[in-house]
Amino acid sequence: MVDLSEIHSFLWCETPDTWIEQALQQQDLMLIDHANCEKKAAGTAMNLMYRYVDDFELLNKMSRLAREELRHFEQVIAIMESRGIAYPQIQASRYAAELRKPIRTHEPGRLIDTLIVGAIIEARSCERFNKLAPFLDEELKKFYFSLLKSEARHYQDYLGLAKKAAAGEPIDERVDIFLALDKELVESGDSEFRFHSGPLTGE
């Protein structure tokens, strides 16, 4: 088992049990949006590689991360195909877009904040995979538990790169801004179920 104590102490809240119950009732939709999340995660890493070409550590870590996220995407769509689940276009949840709103527009603030957001998204994904897995069928349980190690490392890579980009300046205040927003988004109601949504309202 992967030790997630660091991630649990990092995040300000757990995924609500209500969301877990709703995920179990909408597993096809959960897998569709999970596939989208893996694609977006790979795209985010690629964008950082194109934007910040002078940091070899960032380039190497983001290259590895992008490959792993695309591999996870391939695994999700293979499960979907084997279960006869179609892959329609669906609207993204508000989670990532809202989480990115406080990102600064000047450098190095933009890079630091983008990396912090990446760390939080990876940490939240890891926390959700771990909380969901015990309630899933054997195939999905094994798959979601298998993702924990890489997702936890992605969180650490993003946070480490954010600290490096800050060049010795503390980033705790910026991290707290985004963690507070993550908590608000995870605990507040949403109108549509998604992998990173809050609990559905009216249920």
Side-chain angles (χ1 to χ4, degrees):
M1 293 296 291
V2 179
D3 181 9
L4 298 184
S5 57
E6 182 182 339
I7 281 175
H8 286 132
S9 61
F10 174 70
L11 295 170
W12 286 12
C13 71
E14 280 190 31
T15 293
D17 291 339
T18 307
W19 183 90
I20 299 293
E21 293 163 10
Q22 291 165 349
L24 296 173
Q25 294 165 9
Q26 303 184 73
Q27 293 188 40
D28 288 7
L29 183 55
M30 178 187 74
L31 286 168
I32 292 165
D33 200 49
H34 178 187
N36 287 342
C37 290
E38 300 291 0
K39 273 196 299 189
K40 288 171 193 167
T44 295
M46 292 292 291
N47 286 338
L48 286 166
M49 290 170 63
Y50 278 107
R51 192 182 299 152
Y52 302 101
V53 297
D54 58 340
D55 185 334
F56 284 105
E57 183 184 6
L58 182 148
L59 291 172
N60 277 300
K61 286 185 174 178
M62 291 301 104
S63 176
R64 180 181 181 183
L65 190 150
R67 290 198 307 275
E68 288 179 338
E69 302 290 21
L70 285 174
R71 176 59 184 149
H72 298 162
F73 169 73
E74 292 166 8
Q75 291 173 295
V76 178
I77 60 172
I79 290 170
M80 289 168 56
E81 186 176 18
S82 71
R83 296 180 180 213
I85 301 170
Y87 191 4
Q89 293 281 3
I90 61 171
Q91 187 174 353
S93 72
R94 63 190 175 120
Y95 176 79
E98 291 293 322
L99 204 55
R100 291 190 176 103
K101 281 187 176 178
I103 291 177
R104 292 169 285 183
T105 56
H106 57 79
E107 298 292 359
R110 181 185 182 189
L111 173 59
I112 294 166
D113 289 353
T114 301
L115 292 167
I116 290 170
V117 168
I120 292 172
I121 292 174
E122 295 291 338
R124 179 57 65 191
S125 298
C126 195
E127 185 263 345
R128 289 207 159 173
F129 289 139
N130 186 61
K131 193 164 183 177
L132 260 174
F135 303 102
L136 299 170
D137 62 69
E138 282 304 313
E139 181 185 33
L140 282 181
K141 179 191 295 186
K142 183 179 178 182
F143 174 48
Y144 274 19
F145 276 142
S146 77
L147 297 177
L148 298 181
K149 186 175 181 180
S150 59
E151 299 296 314
R153 188 181 67 256
H154 296 168
Y155 145 74
Q156 292 170 335
D157 284 348
Y158 270 123
L159 203 58
L161 289 169
K163 291 174 181 175
K164 176 185 174 184
E169 292 294 317
I171 64 170
D172 295 359
E173 187 177 322
R174 297 303 299 173
V175 171
D176 286 351
I177 288 170
F178 292 103
L179 282 173
L181 192 50
D182 165 80
K183 183 177 188 293
E184 179 186 334
L185 291 165
V186 163
E187 292 184 336
S188 61
D190 264 304
S191 59
E192 292 183 307
F193 173 83
R194 295 290 186 269
F195 187 79
H196 283 113
S197 67
L200 290 180
T201 53
E203 292 205 11

